[in-house]
Amino acid sequence: MRAGQLDKLITVQESTTGRDAYGGVTDSWATFAQYWARLEYLGGAERMGSDQVRGDVEVQFTVRHDPSVSRLTPDMRVSWNSRTFDIEAVFTEGEQGREARIITVERGAGA
């Protein structure tokens, strides 16, 4: 893969749990890793809920393989351009496993 094709800087985030000042449990997202990626739209679907049409968009981010890529899970998400994408799957491919595909879904896109 040519470096010029990796033109989107994405941030992979993982869910973290902590305590607030009152002892309550809080959930937030923390940066796990950042990668330069190529973005490809794979398709989408619309669904009706609460009298609104909501769209889901499936997006593939292709990155150079890095040891941290093998630790990505569906419990994580990708953040890019003020948008969030739930990770569905991660595949390593290409010549000698040099590329990884992160398959994601942006839920409620355009809502």
Side-chain angles (χ1 to χ4, degrees):
M1 175 184 321
R2 301 177 81 171
Q5 295 175 326
L6 305 176
D7 59 352
K8 311 287 189 257
L9 182 61
I10 64 171
T11 301
V12 175
Q13 300 174 323
E14 61 184 339
S15 180
T16 61
T17 303
R19 297 255 178 215
D20 63 19
Y22 302 102
V25 176
T26 59
D27 294 322
S28 62
W29 292 93
T31 298
F32 174 78
Q34 287 189 310
Y35 307 101
W36 285 100
R38 178 179 69 218
L39 179 146
E40 181 181 351
Y41 291 96
L42 301 178
E46 291 182 343
R47 58 189 156 85
M48 187 75 167
S50 301
D51 295 327
Q52 294 181 341
V53 176
R54 297 179 50 109
D56 291 347
V57 178
E58 191 172 30
V59 175
Q60 173 180 287
F61 293 97
T62 303
V63 300
R64 289 196 192 282
H65 191 272
D66 177 277
S68 64
V69 171
S70 63
R71 298 194 323 259
L72 300 183
T73 70
D75 295 327
M76 297 176 172
R77 71 183 189 181
V78 171
S79 176
W80 171 72
N81 201 26
S82 300
R83 296 163 61 187
T84 57
F85 305 82
D86 296 333
I87 294 178
E88 297 285 314
V90 179
F91 302 100
T92 301
E93 64 176 33
E95 186 179 315
Q96 299 176 356
R98 293 184 182 168
E99 297 177 8
R101 293 184 298 139
I102 306 169
I103 308 299
T104 66
V105 174
E106 181 181 30
R107 309 225 184 262

